């Protein structure tokens, strides 16, 4: 790669800027994906850390406290207490908040239909998703996306 950049005979005119643009776009996409899917809070407890990784990489999984405690290799009651002590909220509240936060990012960064977003974050249908989203953010998913689109048009044009 560095040889190509040094040898102007191989990358002249629009080719080099286009290559740099392409690399930048792919790098930014990769970074955005990492932020969306892997914002796992740092936790020193290995059992809870494994649960967090599982939740963050499997938002569409049908999580229950029983399944989460199995991932941690702990009894449910002990798992729930330890999780709440470390993260400040019960396990299922954490899963719900993570799902809806990720859904908000998807609504603003993709054109996926609401039904697709709902499935990606673990909801069986868009109606259950819309109800949970509205309860959490005080706005329907469609309005949330529309408002984001409107503000982007206003600030970029």
């Amino acid at each position: 790669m560095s040889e190509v950049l040094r040898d102007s005979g191989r990358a002249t005119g629009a080719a080099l800027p286009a290559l740099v643009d392409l690399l930048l776009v792919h790098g930014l996409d990769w970074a955005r994906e990492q932020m969306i899917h892997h914002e796992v809070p740092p936790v020193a407890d290995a059992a809870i850390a494994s649960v967090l990784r599982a939740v963050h990489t499997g938002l569409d999984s049908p999580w229950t406290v029983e399944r989460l405690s199995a991932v941690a290799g702990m009894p449910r009651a002990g798992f729930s207490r330890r999780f709440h002590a470390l993260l400040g909220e019960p396990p299922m509240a954490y899963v719900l908040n993570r799902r809806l936060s990720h859904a908000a990012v998807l609504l603003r960064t993709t054109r996926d239909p609401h039904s697709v977003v709902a499935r990606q974050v673990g909801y069986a249908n868009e109606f259950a998703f819309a109800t949970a989203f509205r309860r959490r953010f005080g706005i329907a998913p469609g309005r949330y996306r529309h408002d984001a689109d409107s503000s982007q048009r206003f600030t970029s044009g």
Side-chain angles (χ1 to χ4, degrees):
M1 175 80 173
S2 63
E3 291 175 16
V4 171
L5 293 176
R6 276 191 237 122
D7 185 0
S8 63
R10 291 188 207 164
T12 60
L16 185 58
L19 178 61
V20 171
D21 287 347
L22 181 65
L23 290 172
L24 180 62
V25 166
H26 283 291
L28 291 172
D29 283 346
W30 178 84
R32 182 179 61 83
E33 284 299 313
Q34 295 303 306
M35 288 174 48
I36 289 172
H37 296 295
H38 302 291
E39 293 175 356
V40 180
V43 175
D45 186 308
I48 301 301
S50 68
V51 169
L52 294 175
R53 282 190 301 276
V55 168
H56 283 251
T57 58
L59 287 175
D60 59 340
S61 295
W63 294 115
T64 62
V65 174
E66 186 170 352
R67 285 193 67 216
L68 295 171
S69 65
V71 170
M74 301 171 62
R76 283 187 317 202
F79 163 73
S80 291
R81 279 192 301 275
R82 189 184 301 180
F83 190 99
H84 191 261
L86 288 170
L87 289 146
E89 61 186 326
M92 293 312 296
Y94 181 88
V95 170
L96 174 71
N97 288 329
R98 183 67 200 127
R99 283 178 170 163
L100 293 175
S101 294
H102 183 60
V105 170
L106 291 174
L107 288 170
R108 291 209 171 185
T109 61
T110 73
R111 300 305 319 153
D112 293 343
H114 294 171
S115 59
V116 171
V117 172
R119 280 192 306 276
Q120 288 177 335
V121 296
Y123 286 89
N125 61 65
E126 68 182 290
F127 303 107
F129 164 65
T131 300
F133 193 91
R134 196 175 303 110
R135 189 178 306 125
R136 170 73 160 52
F137 293 107
I139 188 171
R143 173 60 62 189
Y144 183 84
R145 176 178 272 165
H146 177 267
D147 290 352
D149 290 345
S150 296
S151 69
Q152 287 173 355
R153 278 194 300 271
F154 181 72
T155 58
S156 64

